[in-house]
Amino acid sequence: MPELGSLVSRVRSKNAGPFWLTIDIFCGDTETFERLEPQLTTAAIAKLYDQPGQTLKRFAIPELHVLKFSMPRINIQGSRQDRDMHASQWAWLLSEMQVD
Amino acid sequence: MRTRVLIPTGAIGLGFDADALARAVAAKPDIICVDGGSTDSGPFYLGTGTSKYGRDATRAEWRALMLARAEAGVPLVVGTAGTCGTDSTVDWMAEITRELAAELGQTVKIAKLYSSQDAATVTDAWSAGEVHPLEPVIPADAGAPATLTNIVALAGVEQITAALDTGADIVIAGRTTDTATIAALPLKRGAHPGGAWHGAKIGECGALCSTNPTSGVILIDFDEDGFTVQPMAEGAKATPALVSAHMLYENSDPFILYEPGGHLDVRGARYSALTEREVRVEGSEWVPSDNYTVKLEGARLSGYQSTILVTLRERRYVQNAQAWVDRLGTFLHGEIASRMGLGPDDYALDFRLIGQNATLGALENRAGTPVEVGVLAIVTAPTQQRAAEIAKLANPFLLHYPLTDDEPQATFAFPFSPADSARGALYEFALNHVMTLDDPMQAFRLEVEEVAHA
């Protein structure tokens, strides 16, 4: 099974304020978007990031071939437990996810 | 009426292309707007009321913008001055402005918009039911404001408009929303409200919505039907895909953006290529709210830290790094208890295994065999002295502690002498709330001064 990152144009993650982070997957074309969209369910992403599914926001934007996920940060930005001030490396966990 | 807004860069400190700025000034903008900060660099800046960027770098960029303003003969506005937008950073920016006005021989009227909030006033508003939590709800009550070192409210277009209405040449605003400085003048001059807010959101990161994101400079033309965006660097292009994708950036919701007084809804937006480098956007909607609310930000001191970095290269320790820090941690807690009389609530000792899972922690799902592992030991305590004492106690054990009792003494690699570093104060964000206002200026202060240098 390939890694998601090998199929798409780009995956990025970033803070959306101190309490949220957001992950954008640019699929690159309609075919890749339609291949990945059914697999990247709220439940699958919630499991990957150890999040309660009900707090995870999922956006599928076919015009941009984009899938977007937003979730409360596990640790508030800059708190003692936070490891990634800009939440920029969270993307790579998703990029390395095995997909069909 | 068209309102042309020049945005030189996503934030002061990031720099911009000087030729692109010159071209943009020659294109006769109606106003120059630039962002001076955000929460993105963490709570330290709000906690201390200081700027992330140094004074010299800020001064150099501001000098170029003050020259551009004088040439264009239009107002120059900075929002969220000095990274965090407290009163202290507004005053810092005003001081730099006065110095530069003298140096450049400029006579300018400066409006300072202050966003800092008095803790007692916020507590009163809280008790009166005018402060409401946002998702995710963090633990806080009416007693919280008194525990914070700084509180700011995010100004919107109403407060920026009040500052512009003083006739100021330069507006130095404390904390504002990312979009407010850009949207204010177009809205005042009758631009389409949805277009004004949407264009401001697209423009707030400068040329990030173009093919040359680091060039900084863009122009946005606002009118009664929407807006047109064009990047100003040589060869840079805005495309419908790049411009529409910018709504994804740093937004938890790519279609809805909450602002003081309402929200922007871009679900109906239509993006089209006007030329090969300009994009036209129409169809976004502004939805006014019943109540006028401003977002609050606050930070509190949550301790002091000392750190020690030690690297492990011996293969057995690299392979057993987690077991080593688990054993070492247990041992150190015992030593700290017996030598210093401190219990688990008196301090925290964290280890980050660089090369293993320092970035993602428990979420890390890959395991490999790194060549080496960096162990970053972080001590957090109520005073710097206690944090340093604990780090100094831990020092010889981070250097020598064995994986098992019956083996020759091990020694690891310290990159520094002294091995421990005092990191100073740790701050934490402690408000995720909005406050309802009867009058938009109720939580903000405006001061005007004139600096004359003929």
Side-chain angles (χ1 to χ4, degrees), chain B residues 104-245:
Chain B
L104 301 171
Q106 292 188 359
T107 293
V108 286
K109 188 174 190 180
I110 305 168
K112 295 171 289 183
L113 177 70
Y114 291 104
S115 303
S116 282
Q117 303 298 307
D118 173 53
T121 307
V122 177
T123 291
D124 289 347
W126 208 308
S127 303
E130 284 157 9
V131 175
H132 301 281
L134 298 171
E135 292 288 333
V137 176
I138 57 168
D141 59 24
T147 69
L148 308 179
T149 54
N150 277 304
I151 306 170
V152 289
L154 277 68
V157 298
E158 292 77 7
Q159 298 83 1
I160 295 294
T161 302
L164 289 170
D165 284 348
T166 64
D169 301 300
I170 297 177
V171 174
I172 300 172
R175 189 69 171 117
T176 56
T177 70
D178 291 342
T179 45
T181 59
I182 302 169
L185 186 64
L187 284 170
K188 178 181 157 71
R189 299 191 354 167
H192 185 274
W197 285 105
H198 190 182
K201 176 60 194 172
I202 296 303
E204 59 105 354
C205 286
L208 208 59
C209 62
S210 80
T211 53
N212 186 351
T214 58
S215 58
V217 189
I218 60 166
L219 283 179
I220 302 187
D221 290 341
F222 295 90
D223 57 45
E224 288 78 0
D225 301 310
F227 70 94
T228 302
V229 54
Q230 57 171 316
M232 296 310 288
E234 191 73 50
K237 291 173 183 155
T239 65
L242 282 169
V243 171
S244 57

Side-chain angles (χ1 to χ4, degrees), chain B residues 297-346:
Chain B
E297 289 169 353
R300 76 161 65 88
L301 182 68
S302 66
Y304 292 82
Q305 294 187 317
S306 279
T307 59
I308 296 180
L309 178 65
V310 60
T311 62
L312 313 178
R313 178 62 180 78
E314 183 179 343
R315 186 174 297 157
R316 193 164 67 93
Y317 281 81
V318 171
Q319 288 170 345
N320 295 288
Q322 186 63 55
W324 182 67
V325 296
D326 289 347
R327 180 173 145 91
L328 173 61
T330 304
F331 171 79
L332 285 174
H333 287 306
E335 290 298 302
I336 293 163
S338 68
R339 296 200 214 178
M340 297 177 67
L342 299 176
D345 295 337
D346 300 323

Side-chain angles (χ1 to χ4, degrees), chain A residues 14 20 68 70 77 80 96, chain B residues 40 135 248 250 252 350:
Chain A
K14 193 76 202 285
W20 288 84
K68 181 180 180 72
S70 300
Q77 183 202 5
R80 197 194 100 215
E96 292 171 1
Chain B
D40 212 33
E135 292 288 333
L248 301 165
E250 294 181 343
S252 61
D350 299 304

Side-chain angles (χ1 to χ4, degrees), chain B residues 336-373:
Chain B
I336 293 163
S338 68
R339 296 200 214 178
M340 297 177 67
L342 299 176
D345 295 337
D346 300 323
Y347 68 97
L349 177 59
D350 299 304
F351 296 104
R352 305 269 170 87
L353 300 181
I354 299 168
Q356 195 163 309
N357 63 358
T359 311
L360 293 172
L363 291 179
E364 184 55 68
N365 58 18
R366 276 184 68 188
T369 311
V371 170
E372 60 185 0
V373 169

Side-chain angles (χ1 to χ4, degrees), chain A residues 3 12 14-22 24 26 47-50 57 59-61 63-64 66 68-74 76-86 89-90 92-93 96, chain B residues 39-43 52 135-136 138 240-241 244-245 247-255 295 305 348 350-353 357-366 380 426-432:
Chain A
E3 287 188 351
R12 69 179 181 192
K14 193 76 202 285
N15 292 334
F19 304 98
W20 288 84
L21 67 87
T22 191
D24 302 330
F26 294 86
K47 180 165 176 278
L48 184 68
Y49 289 104
D50 194 22
K57 298 185 197 176
F59 302 93
I61 311 168
E63 314 86 85
L64 294 175
V66 162
K68 181 180 180 72
F69 298 92
S70 300
M71 61 191 89
R73 290 180 64 117
I74 293 174
I76 295 170
Q77 183 202 5
S79 62
R80 197 194 100 215
Q81 295 85 357
D82 184 28
R83 293 162 176 264
D84 181 359
M85 193 62 60
H86 299 81
Q89 294 297 303
W90 284 58
W92 302 107
L93 206 54
E96 292 171 1
Chain B
T39 56
D40 212 33
S41 299
K52 167 186 162 185
E135 292 288 333
I138 57 168
S244 57
M247 283 301 292
L248 301 165
Y249 189 67
E250 294 181 343
N251 275 356
S252 61
D253 186 317
F255 300 114
K295 197 171 171 187
Q305 294 187 317
D350 299 304
F351 296 104
R352 305 269 170 87
L353 300 181
N357 63 358
T359 311
L360 293 172
L363 291 179
E364 184 55 68
N365 58 18
R366 276 184 68 188
T380 310
L426 176 72
Y427 289 86
E428 62 186 13
F429 285 118
L431 289 177
N432 188 27

